[in-house]
Structures are given as structure tokens and as C-alpha cells.
Amino acid sequence: MTTKPIYLDHQATTPLDERVLETMLPFLTSEYGNPSSPHAYGRTAAQAVRTARRHVGRLVGARNETEIVFTSGATEANHLAILGAALAARPHGGHVVTTAIEHKAVLAACQRLADHHGYSCTRVGVDRHGRVHPADIAAALTPHTVLVSVMHANNEIGTLQRLAAICEITRPRGILLHTDAAQSAGCGLLDVNELGVGLASLSAHKLHGPKGIGALYVRAGTRITAQQTGGDQERGLRAGTPNVPAIVGFGAAAHLITSDAVPPPPRIRALRDRLQTRLLAAVPTASVNGHPDQRLPGNLSLTIPGIEAADLLDRLPGIAASTGSACTTGSGEPSHVLTAIGLTRGQARATLRLSIGRTTTAIDVEQAAELITGAVCTFADTTASPA
């Protein structure tokens, strides 16, 4: 009997909650109506979509469920937010600001604005903890800036950004603030009103919902140019027949978080801290990346000098983890996030991303610490130069 590896890759994706699957099943079988249809099947589907929209809106603090636009995932939401908002504001300027550690979906959307629409884009650097300083954002703004995009929590090092402080800079200037919140929403850390953002991108599979469904929070009154046209679905911002089962699943996953039906973030943080303490004690040359306190509760980005992280993971079949973002795995290039915080190419290649989630147990943490420590020692022995 094969034993499944210990899953420590929750920032790449999370397992589908069984309660979410149970909620989805009727809409994969008997309740197959198109929510745009006028008959009973359609009305049932439409009501299910409205309920899901309300649950997702409540998760992020939206004042009205209509502020939630469903997409195929956070990548599409990022593109709709950045291209849609920038193009809608084109008469007022042609400059956007982002940071050096954004998800590649954000960087690609900004690059598309530059390549195809004549926009200019400024990428603001970060400190060694991966935090962008609000003053640096302010310095990057010009009279032509129409949009600032700063992720809430980094997908590799977990650092949380000071969005409320950045909003205090952008709002008086009439500049729209967007955040990629795919990593933070599932931890109950996102409140769009407290942070002041006008746009926020979300992903269901980061919070124990299904893959292939996401959402964009669009604050009421925000002008967006649709990027996918052909129908009036999603207030005309995202044409196409809605993926009802996935939307229902997203809503169910969001509802579990807001109803306190899942383990709270402090439990996950305690497990992360235990794993971090064990590994740093066993490997004193290792160092933690990201902000020491203002970081996602389950994130542990660990640089271990003298190893190649990809090779180390090959020696750890009992652990499912990663060397960085799942979207860049296999590229052969060191993480742009890690080099942006000052790591050398060699240090970036020696970095593991371990991410704990609600399904992680204390036993998982203890066993993982032993396996990783043993593998590091073995790696050092086999790669040491002959005497």
C-alpha cells in the first residue's frame, strides 16, 4: 500500500473540502439548468449563483453582492482588473504602477498594456522582507497614473503589504488601487473596505474550493472595460455561460470560512511556527524569507545554503512541497520574487516553499521536520568535496 506524501503545498492549491463537493454535486447532475433560462431549472441555477455571490462578497467585506464578478480564476481576474480598469481610464492617462514581486499574471497584464496599448509601467522594488514602502509607491506616481496594483500577500514568501497605507496615497489622487488577493482571502485576512482597494482578485482553489473558478471584486462605481465580450453575463463584464457547479463550490468554500466552520488561522500559524523552529534548530545555517510577523500564517520560505532545492525535493518523495510559485516551476530561472528581496541566484535555487493548511496535522509537521532534516544531511554528505 502506497502512503501519500505529507501535503505542504497549500499555496499552490488546496484539497477540495468534502462539504464543498457535496454542495456542488446536484449542479453536476440533476440541477443542470442555465441560470439565464426563464424556466424552473434556470431559476434554480440563478438562485444558486446569487447565493454563492453573496457568500463570496461576505468573505471579502463587499457591501453588495453585485460587486462580485465571477471569472475562471485569479489570473483572469487580474487581467480583467488591470486591462479593464486601465483602458476604461485611458482618457485620463497611460501609466500604471506595480511591484517587483507580483504574480506573473499581474506582470503579464501590465506588459500587455505596454506592448499593445502604449502604456508605461513602473515596477517598484521591495525591502529584504518583501515589503513595498508606501513612500516608494508615492514617488512612482505621475499625473498620468491611473492604476496601482499591489498584491495583498505574496505567493512565495507570504509577506503582507500595507494596502491601507497605500490607499491613503492613491485615493486622494483619484487613482484606482487593485490587489491580487488570491493567497490572503482564504485566511480571512481580506477586508476590501479596511484596505481601501477598488479591485481585488480571488481564486477558489486557494481556499478549498474547486479549480477553474475565481472572482473579481469591483467596488460600486468603478469603471471597467470588459475583456471577454459576447453576452450580458456578470453585468456585461465577463461574457459566457456561468460555470454553475464551480461557482456554487466557490460560494460554499467562502461560507465555511465566514461561518467559522474551519480551523482558524492561529492554529495554522502555530503549526507553521513549530515546523520553522524544528528546521532552524536542525539546520542552523538556514534562513527564513518574508516578513517575520506580517506573513501568511501557513507560509514558510526557507533558504538552505549548499543545496539545490529541486534536487532536495527529489529526495523527499514523502513530502509534497515546492521551490516557489507553481506557475513558474520548471522555468529553469530563479524566482523573481527571491531575487527581488536580495537573494543571489544560488540562494534562490536553494529555497524551499513549505505551506501549511487546514488539513495539516501536528503529526505531519513532526514527520516533515524529520524527513527534511534527514534529506538535508544526506544532501550535504553526498555533495561534499572529497577530503
Side-chain angles (χ1 to χ4, degrees):
M1 180 178 177
T2 302
T3 302
K4 286 188 175 182
I6 299 167
Y7 191 73
L8 297 179
D9 205 16
H10 285 82
Q11 284 185 258
T13 194
T14 55
L16 184 68
D17 192 293
E18 291 183 0
R19 292 165 292 184
V20 171
L21 176 60
E22 184 178 352
T23 305
M24 293 172 63
L25 282 175
F27 298 92
L28 289 163
T29 53
S30 57
E31 299 295 349
Y32 44 79
N34 186 322
S36 298
S37 297
H39 47 65
Y41 289 95
R43 289 194 296 272
T44 298
Q47 180 57 51
V49 170
R50 283 194 295 271
T51 298
R53 202 184 304 277
R54 185 170 64 253
H55 288 324
V56 175
R58 187 175 297 133
L59 174 68
V60 303
R63 290 194 170 100
N64 193 300
E65 66 187 52
T66 60
E67 294 180 318
I68 300 299
V69 176
F70 287 116
T71 66
S72 64
T75 292
E76 184 190 341
N78 284 332
H79 279 251
L80 175 58
I82 293 169
L83 274 79
L87 294 177
R90 185 58 189 261
H92 306 289
H95 178 240
V96 296
V97 174
T98 189
T99 80
I101 62 167
E102 296 299 309
H103 190 281
K104 286 197 171 182
V106 166
L107 298 179
C110 292
Q111 191 62 48
R112 180 170 287 273
L113 281 172
D115 291 344
H116 298 282
H117 301 285
Y119 275 69
S120 60
C121 177
T122 300
R123 294 186 186 183
V124 178
V126 296
D127 64 21
R128 65 188 182 90
H129 296 309
R131 268 195 155 184
V132 61
H133 293 278
D136 292 339
I137 294 290
L141 302 179
T142 77
H144 306 291
T145 307
V146 295
L147 177 72
V148 171
S149 181
V150 178
M151 69 193 329
H152 189 205
N154 186 263
N155 52 307
E156 293 190 39
I157 60 175
T159 296
L160 293 162
Q161 302 295 345
R162 289 167 286 188
L163 290 178
I166 294 171
C167 178
E168 291 179 2
I169 295 167
T170 57
R171 181 178 287 166
R173 293 169 169 82
I175 298 171
L176 191 59
L177 179 60
H178 162 254
T179 189
D180 177 349
Q183 295 288 343
S184 60
C187 302
L189 299 174
L190 179 67
D191 186 309
V192 293
N193 295 302
E194 286 184 4
L195 299 178
V197 297
L199 299 163
S201 302
L202 312 169
S203 179
H205 79 98
K206 304 293 188 180
L207 44 88
H208 297 269
K211 296 175 179 65
I213 186 68
L216 178 64
Y217 161 78
V218 182
R219 186 179 294 277
T222 302
R223 294 179 61 242
I224 294 283
T225 298
Q227 300 301 297
Q228 181 170 311
T229 57
D232 294 328
Q233 294 91 348
E234 299 303 305
R235 295 188 298 150
L237 293 177
R238 206 270 184 178
T241 302
N243 183 351
V244 177
I247 289 172
V248 168
F250 194 176
H255 182 60
L256 289 176
I257 296 170
T258 56
S259 62
D260 297 323
V262 296
R267 172 189 172 275
I268 295 173
R269 185 180 295 108
L271 290 174
R272 188 274 312 276
D273 290 347
R274 176 58 179 164
L275 180 60
Q276 177 175 312
T277 299
R278 284 285 310 271
L279 291 176
L280 290 179
V283 189
T285 57
S287 57
V288 177
N289 303 304
H291 197 280
D293 302 313
Q294 297 303 309
R295 189 164 99 240
L296 288 173
N299 173 272
L300 177 55
S301 173
L302 198 67
T303 299
I304 306 173
I307 70 161
E308 287 283 340
D311 292 342
L312 183 68
L313 288 177
D314 285 341
R315 303 179 188 208
L316 284 167
I319 292 179
S322 68
T323 59
S325 169
C327 298
T328 57
T329 298
S331 68
E333 291 296 314
S335 159
H336 71 284
V337 173
L338 298 179
T339 55
I341 64 172
L343 270 62
T344 65
R345 292 172 67 91
Q347 290 170 326
R349 289 196 297 268
T351 300
L352 292 174
R353 183 185 70 176
L354 308 169
S355 45
I356 287 170
R358 72 172 71 151
T359 58
T360 308
T361 67
I363 293 175
D364 289 338
V365 165
E366 297 301 321
Q367 291 179 342
E370 292 181 9
L371 289 171
I372 293 170
T373 299
V376 169
C377 293
T378 302
F379 194 98
D381 291 341
T382 58
T383 56
S385 300

